[in-house]
Amino acid sequence: MRMGVDALPAACYALPVLVSLLTIRLFYVLWRSGQPSSKPRAGGLRCLIVLGSGGHTAEMMNIVTTLQKDRFTPRFYVAALTDNMSLQKAQVYEESLIESGGNKTVENAHFMQIYRSREVGQSYITSIATTLLATLHAMWLVIRIRPQVIFCNGPGTCFPLCVSAFLLKVLGLGWSSIFYIESIARVKKLSLSGLLLYKLRIADQFFVQWPQLRQKYPRACYAGRLM
């Protein structure tokens, strides 16, 4: 009983210290995000590429084709569990690299699926449980992959993945540079995923494809038309 009484004051002192350390770490992460690395990295960078249904995958694959394949390797493609087309397009692309001799090993590319936070037309009440499940799954994937670079462009599946990667930064368990490229379909306002990542300052680099969006969101970078 005495040990329990003595432990209570110790916990009361330790909790503010822990909160203070996490707050300092959070501000450090926000300050460092977006800055170039001071140490050159040897070898490839583990790259997480988030795909989405519809035009999201087409735009993202267009970006992937411009990457230096020997620099961004291995590549982990992630799509929603209910998205049957996106990973197929990524697989076809990676197979074309192997056939052309630009990619020597199949292990350079990996394909994974993640639970979707909310289906189209799903009620907001039931989406609470699915969002929690998707977040836990995203955290498990990020811990497993430990990506050094994340590319995403707006599908809802990117938000829990980016949040998970950001939490690992704050906890000092890994560092992922998050590059968000807003869809070209977003002319006057950001998508919900983009708006959340922008407001929460989670993305290291935030790109838009229309100059009026750059004027509306000054921390964004105008990248021109990528399609």
Coordinates of all heavy atoms in Angstrom, one line a residue, residues 100-189:
S100 N 12.0 -4.1 -69.5 CA 12.9 -3.2 -70.3 C 14.3 -3.1 -69.7 O 15.1 -2.4 -70.2 CB 12.3 -1.7 -70.2 OG 12.2 -1.3 -68.9
G101 N 14.5 -3.8 -68.6 CA 15.8 -3.9 -68.0 C 16.2 -2.8 -67.1 O 17.3 -2.7 -66.6
G102 N 15.2 -1.9 -66.8 CA 15.4 -0.8 -65.9 C 15.3 -1.2 -64.5 O 15.6 -0.4 -63.6
N103 N 14.8 -2.3 -64.2 CA 14.7 -2.8 -62.8 C 15.1 -4.2 -62.7 O 14.5 -5.1 -63.4 CB 13.2 -2.7 -62.4 CG 13.0 -2.6 -60.9 OD1 14.0 -2.6 -60.2 ND2 11.8 -2.5 -60.5
K104 N 16.2 -4.5 -62.0 CA 16.8 -5.8 -62.0 C 16.2 -6.8 -61.1 O 16.3 -8.0 -61.4 CB 18.3 -5.7 -61.7 CG 19.1 -4.8 -62.7 CD 20.5 -4.7 -62.3 CE 21.3 -3.9 -63.3 NZ 22.7 -3.8 -62.9
T105 N 15.5 -6.4 -60.1 CA 14.9 -7.4 -59.2 C 13.4 -7.1 -58.9 O 13.0 -5.9 -58.8 CB 15.7 -7.3 -57.8 OG1 15.6 -6.0 -57.2 CG2 17.1 -7.7 -58.0
V106 N 12.7 -8.1 -58.8 CA 11.3 -8.0 -58.5 C 11.0 -7.4 -57.1 O 10.0 -6.7 -56.8 CB 10.6 -9.4 -58.6 CG1 9.1 -9.2 -58.3 CG2 10.8 -10.0 -60.0
E107 N 12.0 -7.6 -56.2 CA 11.8 -7.2 -54.8 C 11.8 -5.6 -54.7 O 11.6 -5.1 -53.6 CB 12.9 -7.8 -53.9 CG 12.8 -9.2 -53.7 CD 13.2 -10.1 -54.9 OE1 13.8 -9.6 -55.8 OE2 12.8 -11.3 -54.9
N108 N 12.1 -4.9 -55.8 CA 12.1 -3.5 -55.7 C 10.7 -2.9 -55.5 O 10.6 -1.8 -55.1 CB 12.7 -2.9 -57.0 CG 14.2 -2.9 -57.0 OD1 14.8 -3.2 -56.0 ND2 14.8 -2.8 -58.1
A109 N 9.7 -3.7 -55.8 CA 8.3 -3.2 -55.7 C 7.5 -4.1 -54.8 O 7.6 -5.4 -54.9 CB 7.7 -3.1 -57.1
H110 N 6.7 -3.6 -53.9 CA 5.8 -4.3 -53.1 C 4.4 -3.7 -53.2 O 4.2 -2.5 -53.3 CB 6.3 -4.3 -51.6 CG 7.7 -4.8 -51.5 ND1 8.1 -6.1 -51.3 CD2 8.9 -4.1 -51.6 CE1 9.4 -6.2 -51.2 NE2 9.9 -5.0 -51.4
F111 N 3.4 -4.6 -53.0 CA 2.0 -4.1 -53.2 C 1.2 -4.5 -52.0 O 1.1 -5.7 -51.6 CB 1.4 -4.7 -54.5 CG 2.3 -4.4 -55.7 CD1 3.2 -5.4 -56.1 CD2 2.2 -3.3 -56.4 CE1 4.0 -5.2 -57.2 CE2 3.0 -3.0 -57.5 CZ 3.9 -4.0 -57.9
M112 N 0.5 -3.5 -51.4 CA -0.2 -3.7 -50.1 C -1.6 -3.1 -50.2 O -1.8 -2.1 -51.0 CB 0.6 -3.2 -48.9 CG 1.9 -3.8 -48.8 SD 2.8 -3.1 -47.4 CE 4.3 -4.2 -47.3
Q113 N -2.5 -3.5 -49.3 CA -3.8 -2.9 -49.2 C -4.1 -2.5 -47.8 O -3.5 -3.0 -46.9 CB -4.9 -3.9 -49.7 CG -4.8 -4.2 -51.2 CD -5.9 -5.1 -51.7 OE1 -6.0 -6.3 -51.2 NE2 -6.8 -4.7 -52.5
I114 N -5.0 -1.5 -47.7 CA -5.3 -0.9 -46.4 C -6.8 -0.7 -46.3 O -7.5 -0.5 -47.3 CB -4.6 0.4 -46.1 CG1 -4.8 0.9 -44.7 CG2 -5.0 1.4 -47.2 CD1 -4.0 2.2 -44.4
Y115 N -7.3 -0.9 -45.1 CA -8.7 -0.6 -44.9 C -9.1 0.8 -45.2 O -8.3 1.7 -44.8 CB -9.1 -1.0 -43.4 CG -9.1 -2.4 -43.1 CD1 -8.1 -2.9 -42.3 CD2 -10.1 -3.3 -43.6 CE1 -8.0 -4.3 -42.0 CE2 -10.0 -4.7 -43.3 CZ -9.0 -5.1 -42.5 OH -9.0 -6.5 -42.2
R116 N -10.2 1.0 -45.8 CA -10.7 2.4 -46.1 C -11.3 3.0 -44.9 O -12.1 2.3 -44.2 CB -11.6 2.3 -47.3 CG -11.9 3.7 -47.9 CD -13.1 3.6 -48.9 NE -12.6 2.9 -50.1 CZ -12.1 3.4 -51.2 NH1 -11.9 4.7 -51.2 NH2 -11.8 2.7 -52.2
S117 N -11.1 4.3 -44.7 CA -11.7 4.9 -43.5 C -13.2 5.1 -43.6 O -13.9 4.9 -42.7 CB -11.0 6.3 -43.3 OG -9.7 6.3 -43.1
R118 N -13.6 5.4 -44.8 CA -15.1 5.6 -45.0 C -15.4 5.3 -46.5 O -14.8 5.8 -47.4 CB -15.5 7.0 -44.7 CG -17.0 7.3 -44.8 CD -17.3 8.7 -44.3 NE -18.7 8.9 -44.4 CZ -19.3 9.6 -45.5 NH1 -18.5 9.9 -46.5 NH2 -20.6 9.8 -45.6
E119 N -16.4 4.4 -46.7 CA -16.9 4.2 -48.0 C -17.8 5.3 -48.5 O -18.4 6.0 -47.7 CB -17.6 2.8 -48.1 CG -16.7 1.6 -47.7 CD -15.7 1.3 -48.8 OE1 -15.8 1.8 -49.9 OE2 -14.7 0.5 -48.5
V120 N -17.9 5.4 -49.8 CA -18.9 6.3 -50.4 C -20.3 6.0 -49.9 O -20.8 4.9 -50.1 CB -18.8 6.4 -51.9 CG1 -19.8 7.3 -52.5 CG2 -17.4 6.7 -52.4
G121 N -21.0 7.0 -49.3 CA -22.4 6.8 -48.9 C -22.5 6.2 -47.5 O -23.6 6.0 -47.0
Q122 N -21.3 5.8 -46.8 CA -21.4 5.3 -45.5 C -21.8 6.3 -44.5 O -21.4 7.5 -44.6 CB -20.0 4.7 -45.1 CG -20.0 4.0 -43.8 CD -18.6 3.4 -43.5 OE1 -17.7 3.4 -44.3 NE2 -18.4 3.0 -42.2
S123 N -22.6 6.0 -43.5 CA -23.0 6.9 -42.5 C -21.8 7.3 -41.6 O -20.9 6.6 -41.4 CB -24.1 6.3 -41.6 OG -23.6 5.3 -40.8
Y124 N -21.9 8.5 -41.1 CA -20.8 9.1 -40.3 C -20.7 8.3 -38.9 O -19.6 8.2 -38.4 CB -21.0 10.5 -40.0 CG -20.8 11.4 -41.2 CD1 -21.9 11.9 -41.9 CD2 -19.5 11.7 -41.6 CE1 -21.6 12.7 -43.0 CE2 -19.3 12.5 -42.8 CZ -20.4 13.0 -43.4 OH -20.1 13.8 -44.6
I125 N -21.8 7.7 -38.4 CA -21.7 7.0 -37.2 C -20.9 5.7 -37.3 O -20.0 5.4 -36.5 CB -23.2 6.7 -36.7 CG1 -23.9 8.0 -36.4 CG2 -23.1 5.8 -35.5 CD1 -25.4 7.8 -35.9
T126 N -21.3 5.0 -38.4 CA -20.5 3.7 -38.6 C -19.1 4.0 -39.1 O -18.2 3.1 -38.9 CB -21.2 2.8 -39.6 OG1 -21.4 3.5 -40.9 CG2 -22.6 2.5 -39.1
S127 N -18.8 5.1 -39.6 CA -17.5 5.4 -40.1 C -16.5 5.6 -39.0 O -15.3 5.6 -39.2 CB -17.5 6.7 -41.0 OG -17.9 7.8 -40.3
I128 N -17.0 5.9 -37.8 CA -16.1 6.0 -36.6 C -15.3 4.8 -36.4 O -14.1 4.8 -36.2 CB -16.9 6.4 -35.3 CG1 -17.6 7.8 -35.5 CG2 -16.0 6.4 -34.1 CD1 -18.5 8.2 -34.4
A129 N -16.0 3.6 -36.4 CA -15.3 2.4 -36.2 C -14.4 2.0 -37.3 O -13.3 1.6 -37.1 CB -16.4 1.2 -36.0
T130 N -14.8 2.3 -38.6 CA -14.0 1.9 -39.7 C -12.8 2.9 -39.8 O -11.7 2.4 -40.2 CB -14.8 2.0 -41.0 OG1 -15.4 3.3 -41.1 CG2 -15.9 1.0 -41.1
T131 N -12.9 4.1 -39.4 CA -11.8 5.0 -39.3 C -10.7 4.6 -38.3 O -9.5 4.6 -38.5 CB -12.3 6.5 -39.0 OG1 -13.2 6.9 -40.0 CG2 -11.1 7.4 -38.9
L132 N -11.2 4.1 -37.1 CA -10.3 3.6 -36.1 C -9.6 2.4 -36.6 O -8.3 2.3 -36.4 CB -11.1 3.3 -34.8 CG -10.3 2.7 -33.7 CD1 -9.2 3.7 -33.2 CD2 -11.2 2.4 -32.5
L133 N -10.3 1.5 -37.2 CA -9.6 0.3 -37.8 C -8.6 0.7 -38.8 O -7.5 0.1 -38.8 CB -10.7 -0.6 -38.4 CG -10.2 -1.9 -39.0 CD1 -9.5 -2.8 -38.0 CD2 -11.4 -2.7 -39.6
A134 N -9.0 1.6 -39.7 CA -8.0 2.0 -40.8 C -6.8 2.7 -40.2 O -5.7 2.5 -40.7 CB -8.7 3.0 -41.7
T135 N -7.0 3.5 -39.1 CA -5.8 4.1 -38.5 C -4.9 3.1 -37.8 O -3.7 3.2 -38.0 CB -6.3 5.1 -37.4 OG1 -7.2 6.1 -38.0 CG2 -5.1 5.8 -36.8
L136 N -5.4 2.1 -37.2 CA -4.6 1.1 -36.5 C -3.9 0.3 -37.6 O -2.7 0.0 -37.5 CB -5.5 0.1 -35.7 CG -6.1 0.8 -34.4 CD1 -7.0 -0.2 -33.8 CD2 -5.0 1.2 -33.5
H137 N -4.5 0.0 -38.7 CA -3.9 -0.7 -39.8 C -2.8 0.1 -40.5 O -1.7 -0.4 -40.8 CB -5.0 -1.1 -40.9 CG -4.5 -2.1 -41.9 ND1 -5.1 -2.3 -43.1 CD2 -3.4 -2.9 -41.9 CE1 -4.5 -3.3 -43.7 NE2 -3.4 -3.6 -43.0
A138 N -3.1 1.4 -40.6 CA -2.1 2.3 -41.2 C -0.8 2.4 -40.3 O 0.3 2.4 -40.8 CB -2.7 3.7 -41.4
M139 N -1.0 2.4 -39.0 CA 0.1 2.5 -38.1 C 0.9 1.2 -38.2 O 2.2 1.3 -38.2 CB -0.4 2.7 -36.6 CG 0.7 2.7 -35.6 SD 1.8 4.2 -35.8 CE 0.7 5.4 -35.1
W140 N 0.3 0.1 -38.3 CA 1.0 -1.2 -38.4 C 1.8 -1.2 -39.7 O 2.9 -1.7 -39.7 CB 0.0 -2.3 -38.4 CG 0.6 -3.7 -38.6 CD1 1.3 -4.4 -37.7 CD2 0.7 -4.4 -39.8 NE1 1.7 -5.6 -38.2 CE2 1.4 -5.6 -39.5 CE3 0.2 -4.2 -41.1 CZ2 1.6 -6.6 -40.5 CZ3 0.4 -5.2 -42.1 CH2 1.1 -6.4 -41.8
L141 N 1.2 -0.7 -40.8 CA 1.9 -0.7 -42.1 C 3.1 0.2 -42.1 O 4.2 -0.1 -42.5 CB 1.0 -0.3 -43.2 CG 0.0 -1.3 -43.8 CD1 -0.9 -0.7 -44.9 CD2 0.8 -2.5 -44.4
V142 N 3.0 1.4 -41.5 CA 4.1 2.3 -41.4 C 5.2 1.8 -40.5 O 6.4 2.0 -40.9 CB 3.6 3.7 -40.9 CG1 4.7 4.6 -40.6 CG2 2.6 4.4 -41.9
I143 N 4.9 1.2 -39.4 CA 5.9 0.6 -38.6 C 6.6 -0.5 -39.3 O 7.8 -0.7 -39.2 CB 5.3 0.1 -37.2 CG1 4.8 1.3 -36.4 CG2 6.3 -0.7 -36.5 CD1 4.0 0.9 -35.2
R144 N 5.8 -1.3 -40.1 CA 6.4 -2.4 -40.8 C 7.3 -2.0 -41.9 O 8.4 -2.5 -42.1 CB 5.3 -3.3 -41.3 CG 5.8 -4.5 -42.2 CD 4.6 -5.2 -42.8 NE 5.0 -6.2 -43.7 CZ 4.2 -6.9 -44.5 NH1 2.9 -6.7 -44.4 NH2 4.6 -7.8 -45.3
I145 N 6.9 -1.0 -42.7 CA 7.6 -0.5 -43.8 C 8.7 0.5 -43.5 O 9.8 0.4 -44.0 CB 6.7 0.2 -44.9 CG1 5.6 -0.8 -45.4 CG2 7.4 0.8 -46.0 CD1 4.5 -0.1 -46.2
R146 N 8.5 1.3 -42.5 CA 9.4 2.4 -42.1 C 9.8 3.2 -43.3 O 11.0 3.3 -43.6 CB 10.6 1.8 -41.4 CG 10.4 1.2 -40.0 CD 9.8 2.2 -39.0 NE 9.5 1.6 -37.8 CZ 10.3 1.6 -36.7 NH1 11.5 2.1 -36.8 NH2 9.9 1.0 -35.6
P147 N 8.9 3.8 -44.0 CA 9.2 4.6 -45.2 C 10.0 5.8 -44.9 O 9.8 6.4 -43.9 CB 7.8 4.9 -45.8 CG 6.9 5.0 -44.6 CD 7.4 3.9 -43.7
Q148 N 10.9 6.1 -45.8 CA 11.7 7.3 -45.7 C 11.1 8.5 -46.5 O 11.4 9.6 -46.2 CB 13.2 7.1 -46.1 CG 13.9 6.1 -45.2 CD 15.1 5.5 -45.8 OE1 15.1 4.8 -46.8 NE2 16.3 6.0 -45.3
V149 N 10.3 8.1 -47.5 CA 9.6 9.1 -48.3 C 8.2 8.6 -48.6 O 8.0 7.4 -48.8 CB 10.3 9.3 -49.7 CG1 9.6 10.3 -50.6 CG2 11.8 9.7 -49.5
I150 N 7.2 9.5 -48.5 CA 5.8 9.1 -48.8 C 5.3 10.1 -49.9 O 5.4 11.3 -49.7 CB 4.9 9.3 -47.5 CG1 5.4 8.3 -46.4 CG2 3.5 9.0 -47.9 CD1 4.6 8.4 -45.1
F151 N 4.7 9.5 -50.9 CA 4.1 10.3 -52.0 C 2.6 10.0 -51.9 O 2.1 8.9 -51.9 CB 4.6 9.9 -53.3 CG 6.0 10.3 -53.6 CD1 7.0 9.4 -53.5 CD2 6.3 11.6 -53.9 CE1 8.4 9.7 -53.8 CE2 7.7 12.0 -54.1 CZ 8.7 11.1 -54.1
C152 N 1.8 11.1 -51.9 CA 0.3 10.9 -51.9 C -0.3 12.1 -52.6 O 0.3 13.2 -52.7 CB -0.2 10.7 -50.5 SG 0.3 12.0 -49.3
N153 N -1.5 12.0 -53.0 CA -2.2 13.1 -53.8 C -3.7 13.2 -53.6 O -4.4 13.6 -54.4 CB -1.9 12.9 -55.3 CG -2.6 11.6 -55.9 OD1 -2.9 10.7 -55.2 ND2 -2.8 11.6 -57.2
G154 N -4.2 12.8 -52.4 CA -5.5 13.1 -52.1 C -6.5 12.0 -51.7 O -7.5 12.3 -51.1
P155 N -6.3 10.7 -52.0 CA -7.3 9.7 -51.6 C -7.4 9.7 -50.1 O -6.4 9.9 -49.4 CB -6.7 8.4 -52.2 CG -5.2 8.7 -52.4 CD -5.1 10.1 -52.7
G156 N -8.5 9.3 -49.6 CA -8.8 9.3 -48.2 C -7.8 8.3 -47.4 O -7.5 8.5 -46.3
T157 N -7.3 7.3 -48.1 CA -6.4 6.3 -47.5 C -5.1 7.0 -47.1 O -4.4 6.4 -46.3 CB -6.2 5.1 -48.4 OG1 -5.8 5.6 -49.7 CG2 -7.4 4.3 -48.5
C158 N -4.8 8.1 -47.7 CA -3.4 8.7 -47.4 C -3.4 9.3 -46.0 O -2.3 9.4 -45.4 CB -3.0 9.7 -48.5 SG -3.9 11.3 -48.4
F159 N -4.6 9.8 -45.5 CA -4.5 10.6 -44.3 C -4.1 9.7 -43.1 O -3.2 10.1 -42.4 CB -5.9 11.2 -44.0 CG -5.9 12.1 -42.8 CD1 -5.3 13.3 -42.8 CD2 -6.6 11.7 -41.7 CE1 -5.3 14.1 -41.6 CE2 -6.6 12.4 -40.5 CZ -5.9 13.7 -40.5
P160 N -4.7 8.6 -42.8 CA -4.2 7.8 -41.7 C -2.7 7.3 -41.8 O -2.0 7.2 -40.8 CB -5.1 6.6 -41.6 CG -5.8 6.5 -42.9 CD -5.8 7.9 -43.5
L161 N -2.3 7.1 -43.1 CA -0.9 6.7 -43.3 C 0.0 7.9 -42.9 O 1.1 7.7 -42.3 CB -0.7 6.3 -44.7 CG -1.3 4.9 -45.1 CD1 -1.3 4.8 -46.6 CD2 -0.5 3.8 -44.5
C162 N -0.3 9.1 -43.4 CA 0.5 10.3 -43.1 C 0.5 10.6 -41.6 O 1.5 11.0 -41.0 CB 0.0 11.4 -43.9 SG 0.3 11.3 -45.7
V163 N -0.7 10.5 -41.0 CA -0.7 10.8 -39.5 C 0.1 9.8 -38.8 O 0.9 10.1 -37.8 CB -2.2 10.7 -39.0 CG1 -2.3 10.7 -37.5 CG2 -3.0 11.9 -39.6
S164 N 0.1 8.5 -39.2 CA 0.9 7.5 -38.5 C 2.4 7.8 -38.6 O 3.2 7.7 -37.7 CB 0.6 6.1 -39.1 OG -0.8 5.8 -38.9
A165 N 2.8 8.2 -39.9 CA 4.2 8.5 -40.1 C 4.6 9.7 -39.3 O 5.7 9.8 -38.7 CB 4.4 8.8 -41.6
F166 N 3.7 10.7 -39.1 CA 4.0 11.9 -38.4 C 4.2 11.6 -36.9 O 5.0 12.1 -36.2 CB 2.9 12.9 -38.6 CG 3.2 14.3 -37.9 CD1 4.0 15.2 -38.5 CD2 2.6 14.6 -36.7 CE1 4.2 16.4 -37.9 CE2 2.8 15.8 -36.1 CZ 3.7 16.7 -36.7
L167 N 3.3 10.7 -36.4 CA 3.4 10.3 -35.0 C 4.7 9.6 -34.7 O 5.3 9.8 -33.6 CB 2.2 9.4 -34.6 CG 0.8 10.0 -34.5 CD1 -0.2 9.0 -34.2 CD2 0.9 11.1 -33.4
L168 N 5.2 8.8 -35.6 CA 6.5 8.1 -35.4 C 7.6 9.2 -35.4 O 8.6 9.0 -34.6 CB 6.7 7.1 -36.5 CG 5.9 5.8 -36.5 CD1 6.3 4.9 -37.6 CD2 5.9 5.2 -35.2
K169 N 7.5 10.2 -36.1 CA 8.4 11.3 -36.1 C 8.5 11.9 -34.7 O 9.5 12.1 -34.1 CB 8.1 12.4 -37.1 CG 8.4 12.1 -38.5 CD 8.0 13.4 -39.3 CE 8.1 13.2 -40.8 NZ 7.9 14.5 -41.5
V170 N 7.3 12.2 -34.2 CA 7.2 12.9 -32.9 C 7.8 12.0 -31.8 O 8.4 12.5 -30.8 CB 5.8 13.3 -32.6 CG1 5.6 13.8 -31.1 CG2 5.3 14.3 -33.6
L171 N 7.5 10.7 -31.9 CA 8.0 9.7 -30.9 C 9.5 9.4 -31.1 O 10.0 8.7 -30.3 CB 7.1 8.5 -30.9 CG 5.7 8.7 -30.5 CD1 4.9 7.4 -30.7 CD2 5.6 9.2 -29.1
G172 N 10.1 9.9 -32.2 CA 11.5 9.6 -32.4 C 11.7 8.1 -32.9 O 12.8 7.6 -32.8
L173 N 10.7 7.5 -33.5 CA 10.8 6.1 -33.9 C 11.1 6.0 -35.4 O 11.1 4.9 -35.9 CB 9.6 5.3 -33.5 CG 9.3 5.3 -32.0 CD1 7.9 4.6 -31.8 CD2 10.4 4.6 -31.3
G174 N 11.2 7.1 -36.1 CA 11.4 7.0 -37.6 C 11.2 8.4 -38.2 O 10.6 9.3 -37.5
W175 N 11.7 8.6 -39.4 CA 11.5 9.9 -40.0 C 11.1 9.6 -41.5 O 11.8 9.0 -42.3 CB 12.8 10.7 -40.0 CG 12.5 12.1 -40.4 CD1 12.5 12.6 -41.7 CD2 12.2 13.2 -39.5 NE1 12.1 14.0 -41.7 CE2 12.0 14.4 -40.4 CE3 12.1 13.4 -38.2 CZ2 11.7 15.6 -39.9 CZ3 11.7 14.6 -37.7 CH2 11.5 15.7 -38.5
S176 N 9.9 10.1 -41.9 CA 9.4 10.0 -43.2 C 9.2 11.4 -43.8 O 8.5 12.3 -43.1 CB 8.1 9.3 -43.3 OG 8.3 8.0 -42.7
S177 N 9.7 11.7 -44.9 CA 9.5 13.0 -45.6 C 8.2 12.8 -46.4 O 8.1 11.9 -47.3 CB 10.6 13.4 -46.5 OG 11.8 13.6 -45.8
I178 N 7.2 13.6 -46.1 CA 5.9 13.4 -46.7 C 5.7 14.5 -47.8 O 5.7 15.7 -47.6 CB 4.7 13.5 -45.7 CG1 4.9 12.5 -44.6 CG2 3.4 13.4 -46.3 CD1 4.0 12.6 -43.4
F179 N 5.5 14.0 -49.1 CA 5.2 14.9 -50.2 C 3.8 14.7 -50.6 O 3.4 13.6 -51.1 CB 6.2 14.5 -51.4 CG 7.6 14.8 -51.0 CD1 8.4 13.8 -50.4 CD2 8.2 16.0 -51.4 CE1 9.7 14.1 -50.1 CE2 9.5 16.3 -51.1 CZ 10.3 15.3 -50.4
Y180 N 3.0 15.8 -50.5 CA 1.6 15.8 -50.9 C 1.4 16.6 -52.2 O 1.8 17.8 -52.2 CB 0.7 16.3 -49.8 CG -0.7 16.2 -50.1 CD1 -1.5 15.1 -49.9 CD2 -1.4 17.3 -50.7 CE1 -2.8 15.0 -50.2 CE2 -2.7 17.3 -51.1 CZ -3.4 16.1 -50.8 OH -4.8 16.0 -51.2
I181 N 0.9 16.0 -53.2 CA 0.6 16.7 -54.5 C -0.9 16.7 -54.7 O -1.5 15.6 -54.9 CB 1.3 16.0 -55.6 CG1 2.8 15.8 -55.4 CG2 1.1 16.8 -56.9 CD1 3.2 14.4 -54.8
E182 N -1.5 17.8 -54.5 CA -3.0 17.9 -54.7 C -3.4 17.6 -56.1 O -2.7 17.9 -57.1 CB -3.5 19.3 -54.3 CG -5.0 19.5 -54.3 CD -5.7 18.5 -53.3 OE1 -5.9 17.4 -53.7 OE2 -6.0 19.0 -52.2
S183 N -4.5 17.0 -56.2 CA -5.0 16.5 -57.5 C -5.3 17.7 -58.4 O -5.7 18.8 -58.0 CB -6.3 15.7 -57.4 OG -6.9 15.5 -58.6
I184 N -5.0 17.6 -59.7 CA -5.3 18.6 -60.7 C -6.8 19.0 -60.8 O -7.1 20.0 -61.2 CB -4.7 18.2 -62.1 CG1 -4.6 19.5 -63.0 CG2 -5.6 17.1 -62.7 CD1 -3.9 19.2 -64.3
A185 N -7.6 18.0 -60.3 CA -9.0 18.3 -60.3 C -9.4 19.3 -59.3 O -10.5 19.9 -59.4 CB -9.8 17.0 -60.1
R186 N -8.6 19.6 -58.3 CA -8.9 20.6 -57.3 C -8.4 22.0 -57.8 O -7.2 22.3 -57.7 CB -8.2 20.2 -56.0 CG -8.8 18.9 -55.4 CD -10.2 19.2 -54.9 NE -10.9 18.0 -54.5 CZ -12.0 18.0 -53.8 NH1 -12.7 19.1 -53.6 NH2 -12.6 16.9 -53.4
V187 N -9.3 22.8 -58.3 CA -9.0 24.0 -58.9 C -9.1 25.2 -57.9 O -8.3 26.1 -57.8 CB -9.9 24.3 -60.1 CG1 -9.5 25.6 -60.8 CG2 -9.7 23.1 -61.1
K188 N -10.2 25.2 -57.1 CA -10.5 26.3 -56.3 C -10.4 26.0 -54.8 O -10.2 27.0 -54.0 CB -12.0 26.8 -56.5 CG -12.2 27.3 -57.9 CD -13.6 27.8 -58.1 CE -13.9 28.4 -59.5 NZ -15.3 28.9 -59.6
K189 N -10.4 24.8 -54.4 CA -10.2 24.4 -53.0 C -9.6 23.1 -52.9 O -9.7 22.3 -53.8 CB -11.6 24.5 -52.2 CG -12.6 23.5 -52.7 CD -13.9 23.6 -51.9 CE -14.9 22.6 -52.3 NZ -16.1 22.6 -51.5

